[in-house]
Amino acid sequence: MPTKKATLFPGTDDAPTQGLHIERVFSTDGEHPFDAVTWKTRTAAIKNHKGEAIFEQEGVEFPEAWSPLAVNVVASKYFYGDLAAGNGSPADGQREYSLKQLVHRVTRTISDWGFEQGYFASKDDAERFYDELTWLCVNQYGAFNSPVWFNVGLHHQYGVTDTGGKTISGWNPEGGPEGTGAVEAVDPYERPQASACFIIAVDDSIDDIWKLMQESARLFKFGSGVGADWSKLRSSREKLSGGGIPSGPVSFMKVQDATGGTIKSGGKTRRAAIMQTLKSWHPDVLEFVRAKQEEERKAWALIEEGYDGSFNGPAYGSVAFQNVNQSLRVDDAFMQAAEDDADYALRAVTTGEAVETVKARDVLMQVAEGTHVCGDPGLQYEDTIQRWHTVPNTGPINSSNPCSEYMHLDNSACNLASLNLRKFQTEDGAFDVARFRAAARLFITAQEILVDNAGYPSPAIAKNSHDYRPLGLGFANLGALLMSMGLPYDSDEGRAVAGAVMAIEHCEAYARSAEIAANERIGPFPGFEANREPMLAVMRMHRDAVQGIHASCPAALREAAQESADRMVALGEAHGYRNAQATVLAPTGTIGFMMDCDTTGIEPDIALVKYKLLAGKGDGLMKIVNQTVGDALTRLGYTEAERAEILAYVDAHDTIEGAPGLREEHLPVFDCAFRPANGERSIGHLGHIKMMAATQPFISGAISKTVNLPEHATVEDIYDAYVQGWTLGLKAIAIYRENSKRSQPLSTKRGGNTKGAAAAGHEGDGAALPEPEIVEKVVYRPVRKRLPDERPSVTHKFSVAGHEGYLHVGLYPDTDLPGEIFITMAKQGSTIAGLMDSFATAISLALQYGVPLEDLVSKF
């Protein structure tokens, strides 16, 4: 890691009025960032569990330090062009083959846009910005969300344009009758889609419902997810204007789910990502709460009849709501009524009058039951969300993106980026605040430049993106950072570090937003003045929350957080802000692989020892031990010999519990989301919720995070988790009970999975995981495959020590595999005949329940 140090606030002693001054923190003057790393030519390959290649590109060029996994992910998902065209330049009709091409087309395009539009004080500042941003991306310090890597720069670097007449909506600053700017139809390559997260409005009319379907389909095609709140649709208890009975929102939700299952995200193999929310007062609330668990039980019934229960098999493929996450929007009145076991009124959409009174506790318990069965619905806490809303004078926040981290106005979009926290750790284990601040400022600047240069699926989203400019900067690898520092994830110390780090990033992002707003050519976001007072009030809430960071936080981190927060508020009061939102905590699925992170987003590791499919000939699993364990042992004071012995034990036993020489008080440092196969420890649900609560006050949006519960967790445990989430001030919470679904895909190298990953295959950054990194863990229930009444058979005569007998083997007609045996030794007396009958019956049942014949032969 370069040792160059950043000045405290480079180029920002006085807020710029004519553009940003960029100083070098990471790159070296006179040296291109590409020349600062060693490059290696490799073959990128992804194979299925049978060893069959489903992607292979020879001669790809990557930094030597990048892992094979990162190489495979980037080459397969982000390189542009047809594999059959060969390696070269897409400008010549060939396929990208080097990370240099990918990073350059993104960072060069963003830097040029920024210079042309007056973001930088000079051309030299723009070139330094290009070098700094390029260095961060090449060295895995940070990454944009997947649509940026998919789409940005294809026109500007390679001249790619749409030849089929397709358009997308974009902002033209010189458009409109007065030349003050307007949304126009633009080429989707010239104005590329750069956002992963969208929220769309849906009103109570058939035209608006189908408009939602159309916009959703377009978003899926370009690799993004969408959320919508369906509470404006009148309930099935009300009347249509023509006197008929409405279908209700749940019926239309099924249509959107089917759309998502048909149109693959980004043209890839992954199904689309969708969030569906409903307000707790809606009369169809119970139908909504029960909808997904009822479909889950249908899938169970199909599996028990012998249908394939894998994630993409016919059992789950034939039931509804497998492409969606669902969350109930509960207000404070509902949660308080649940706590008090009080009544709660359901109100008509059209009149607002109460149509029924329910027990809030009963409704919340049914939510918990649904979560216990299949992970849905989750909860979003309505009043908490609105309290932290920066532009309430424009309208409320009604819904979120599929993974719940982006929450903002209807018809809005957010592009995401995340910083890799472990890259900012110094050799002595401390956190490099100055470099972290610099990286946050650089990335949020790049994201802001993207806003008006990107395209959007509808004019309304393009207009709101211009007017409010919401962004989503976050981080990845928190779990690995804390473990490497010798801090338990579930501890006051761990939560204090997480809160301080998030506060620094959040406040630096908004401080840079205020500096951009001070630029006379640019100014605050157009909707700022109408929301000045509530937005500044929220900024002060963020600042004041720093005082709540636990006293165990290292003093340097806490002081840095307060310094950044004070500066954020002061600059905003003087100049306003360029962005209504600046931060979220996303799941960082594919980009987490791209940055070689050990853990995703805010998650702890899923387990110290995981397995991934072996990408070679035949089937196989490769064991992977978390590489952070050794660093943590060093930080905790273990000798090299002690570390070696402990790591050998972990590798052999799949757990660190019981490792020789490991002190009991250090066990919590290594606790993970799931209990290891040969151990007992895991992080309890309160550990997850408290970590979210420690960072939530320093986030514009919310947190994509799974609260993992063990398989034996009860409905009451889940109910308690939902109450704790509300009490501790979260905006949203998603819970997954291990093995609740009969099939759950788990990441075998990277830690954690969002509820979407567990329940609907969503990642939140707009791209699919690489296929060999997913193990389908099918949770089998006994299914007996009986033989037909007429079946072929084989009879074999045997003699053992003079005792003769006959073995009759009944075969399955479709496979010729054995499904039953009978053993006849009638002349040997009733005792041995009875024993043989019992043995044969047991073996027959074992065969019909799927026990491999080879295992039975080996055992006996």
Side-chain angles (χ1 to χ4, degrees), residues 606-608 649 653-659 664 667-668 670-684 709-712 738:
I606 207 168
L608 294 185
Y649 179 91
H653 295 85
D654 289 6
T655 181
I656 203 168
E657 296 173 47
E664 184 77 16
L667 276 173
F670 305 100
D671 286 346
C672 296
F674 289 167
R675 180 179 62 84
N678 297 316
E680 298 297 328
R681 299 180 62 90
S682 64
I683 297 169
L709 269 70
E711 186 171 4
H712 60 75
E738 187 177 11

Side-chain angles (χ1 to χ4, degrees), residues 781-795:
R781 270 59 173 179
V783 177
R784 184 179 181 183
K785 183 180 180 183
R786 299 177 184 271
L787 281 81
D789 291 342
E790 294 185 7
R791 59 267 204 179
S793 64
V794 175
T795 302

Side-chain angles (χ1 to χ4, degrees), residues 15-225:
T17 58
Q18 298 295 334
L20 298 170
H21 295 283
I22 306 296
E23 293 188 6
R24 292 189 188 276
V25 176
F26 304 97
S27 61
T28 301
D29 193 14
E31 179 184 55
H32 195 284
F34 292 155
D35 297 332
V37 298
T38 302
W39 295 80
K40 182 179 179 181
T41 301
R42 315 185 195 185
T43 295
I46 291 181
K47 301 180 181 181
N48 63 19
H49 68 285
K50 298 178 181 178
E52 301 164 338
I54 56 178
F55 170 85
E56 188 168 9
Q57 184 175 359
E58 297 179 350
V60 298
E61 185 183 34
F62 280 84
E64 188 175 40
W66 281 46
S67 73
L69 175 61
V71 170
N72 291 342
V73 169
V74 172
S76 64
K77 302 302 177 186
Y78 297 149
F79 282 176
Y80 177 79
D82 186 353
L83 268 174
N87 294 346
S89 170
D92 301 322
Q94 296 170 306
R95 180 178 173 86
E96 289 178 324
Y97 66 93
S98 174
L99 184 72
K100 294 176 183 176
Q101 293 172 301
L102 175 66
V103 172
H104 174 80
R105 75 163 157 86
V106 170
T107 59
R108 180 75 273 165
T109 301
I110 293 173
S111 301
D112 289 349
W113 279 336
F115 176 68
E116 292 165 4
Q117 294 165 8
Y119 282 84
F120 305 110
S122 68
K123 180 65 173 175
D124 288 343
D125 287 297
E127 289 305 306
R128 284 190 290 271
F129 178 81
Y130 165 79
D131 286 350
E132 292 282 277
L133 188 61
T134 300
W135 192 99
L136 289 168
C137 292
V138 167
N139 288 280
Q140 300 175 297
Y141 275 58
F144 299 100
N145 59 203
S146 290
V148 170
W149 302 113
F150 287 152
N151 305 322
V152 170
L154 295 177
H155 173 75
H156 296 80
Q157 305 307 317
Y158 303 137
V160 179
T161 57
D162 181 76
T163 57
K166 293 189 289 292
T167 61
I168 199 167
S169 296
W171 180 256
N172 179 1
E174 299 176 355
E178 304 296 327
T180 57
V183 174
E184 297 180 355
V186 294
D187 184 289
Y189 289 98
E190 292 184 35
R191 302 292 288 277
Q193 184 170 302
S195 297
C197 303
F198 291 82
I199 303 170
I200 302 179
V202 55
D203 289 320
D204 190 28
S205 74
I206 196 67
D207 290 341
D208 206 67
I209 292 169
W210 294 120
K211 181 168 72 74
L212 167 74
M213 303 303 176
Q214 180 186 38
E215 292 179 4
S216 298
R218 189 176 300 170
L219 284 167
F220 302 153
K221 180 183 184 300
F222 283 98
S224 300

Side-chain angles (χ1 to χ4, degrees), residues 7 35 42 82 106 190 255 312 317 343 405 576 638 703 764 790:
T7 56
D35 297 332
R42 315 185 195 185
D82 186 353
V106 170
E190 292 184 35
V255 180
N312 291 309
D343 291 339
E405 76 270 20
Y638 290 87
I703 305 166
E790 294 185 7

Side-chain angles (χ1 to χ4, degrees), residues 195-538:
S195 297
C197 303
F198 291 82
I199 303 170
I200 302 179
V202 55
D203 289 320
D204 190 28
S205 74
I206 196 67
D207 290 341
D208 206 67
I209 292 169
W210 294 120
K211 181 168 72 74
L212 167 74
M213 303 303 176
Q214 180 186 38
E215 292 179 4
S216 298
R218 189 176 300 170
L219 284 167
F220 302 153
K221 180 183 184 300
F222 283 98
S224 300
V226 63
D229 183 70
W230 296 77
S231 303
K232 291 183 180 179
L233 273 65
R234 72 191 70 188
S235 72
S236 56
R237 303 186 188 189
E238 299 171 63
K239 296 286 186 182
L240 294 172
S241 56
I245 303 298
S247 300
V250 176
S251 62
F252 290 108
M253 290 179 186
K254 287 184 179 180
V255 180
Q256 190 189 35
D257 168 68
T259 303
T262 302
I263 301 175
K264 304 304 182 185
S265 181
K268 308 294 181 181
T269 57
R270 183 175 67 104
R271 291 181 291 185
I274 302 168
M275 171 60 77
Q276 297 173 337
T277 60
L278 193 74
K279 304 289 176 63
S280 55
W281 50 259
H282 195 282
D284 287 345
V285 61
L286 289 176
E287 181 187 1
F288 174 75
V289 166
R290 296 166 181 157
K292 196 164 181 178
Q293 65 169 303
E294 289 175 353
E295 296 297 314
E296 179 73 18
R297 295 183 192 278
K298 291 180 188 177
W300 293 0
L302 291 170
I303 293 168
E304 287 162 4
E305 287 298 316
Y307 287 89
D308 180 5
S310 61
F311 193 68
N312 291 309
Y316 279 104
S318 61
V319 301
F321 298 126
Q322 298 307 299
N323 308 298
V324 305
N325 291 334
Q326 295 182 329
S327 287
L328 183 66
R329 299 271 298 207
V330 295
D331 53 27
D332 287 349
F334 175 89
M335 292 303 296
Q336 192 61 56
E339 283 287 87
D340 298 340
D341 197 18
D343 291 339
Y344 181 80
L346 306 183
R347 305 192 306 273
V349 175
T350 50
T351 66
E353 297 177 356
V355 297
E356 182 184 0
T357 297
V358 296
K359 288 289 187 182
R361 180 174 294 180
D362 293 343
V363 176
L364 187 56
M365 189 62 74
Q366 291 196 46
V367 172
E369 289 173 359
T371 307
H372 190 268
V373 168
C374 63
D376 274 294
L379 290 190
Q380 295 183 4
Y381 301 104
E382 175 78 25
D383 292 325
T384 304
I385 292 167
Q386 307 304 342
R387 276 193 290 274
W388 292 85
H389 185 17
T390 55
V391 289
N393 292 344
T394 300
I397 295 173
N398 290 316
S399 193
S400 75
N401 74 316
C403 294
S404 292
E405 76 270 20
Y406 174 57
M407 296 180 170
H408 200 49
L409 300 171
D410 285 346
N411 296 318
S412 67
C414 183
N415 72 72
L416 313 178
S418 295
L419 300 180
N420 181 354
L421 294 183
R422 282 222 68 193
K423 288 289 185 176
F424 300 94
Q425 197 171 12
T426 59
E427 291 183 3
D428 64 357
F431 194 77
D432 194 329
V433 170
R435 290 167 68 84
F436 186 62
R437 280 171 162 163
R441 290 194 297 271
L442 288 163
F443 263 94
I444 203 71
T445 303
Q447 291 173 270
E448 157 57 25
I449 292 169
L450 283 167
V451 172
D452 277 351
N453 291 285
Y456 302 91
S458 72
I461 295 176
K463 180 66 163 59
N464 276 339
S465 295
H466 169 77
D467 287 348
Y468 298 95
R469 319 184 73 81
L471 303 177
L473 181 62
F475 60 59
N477 232 358
L478 175 69
L481 173 73
L482 297 179
M483 187 181 292
S484 70
M485 297 173 75
L487 299 176
Y489 185 91
D490 185 8
S491 68
D492 289 335
E493 296 85 353
R495 290 186 283 269
V497 168
V501 166
M502 189 67 243
I504 293 168
E505 182 176 30
H506 173 80
C507 296
E508 285 301 313
Y510 263 126
R512 172 50 59 93
S513 180
E515 291 168 0
I516 295 172
N519 187 329
E520 294 172 353
R521 290 184 57 182
I522 296 175
F525 65 90
F528 174 74
E529 284 303 325
N531 293 276
R532 170 185 285 272
E533 291 311 313
M535 183 164 188
L536 288 175
V538 170

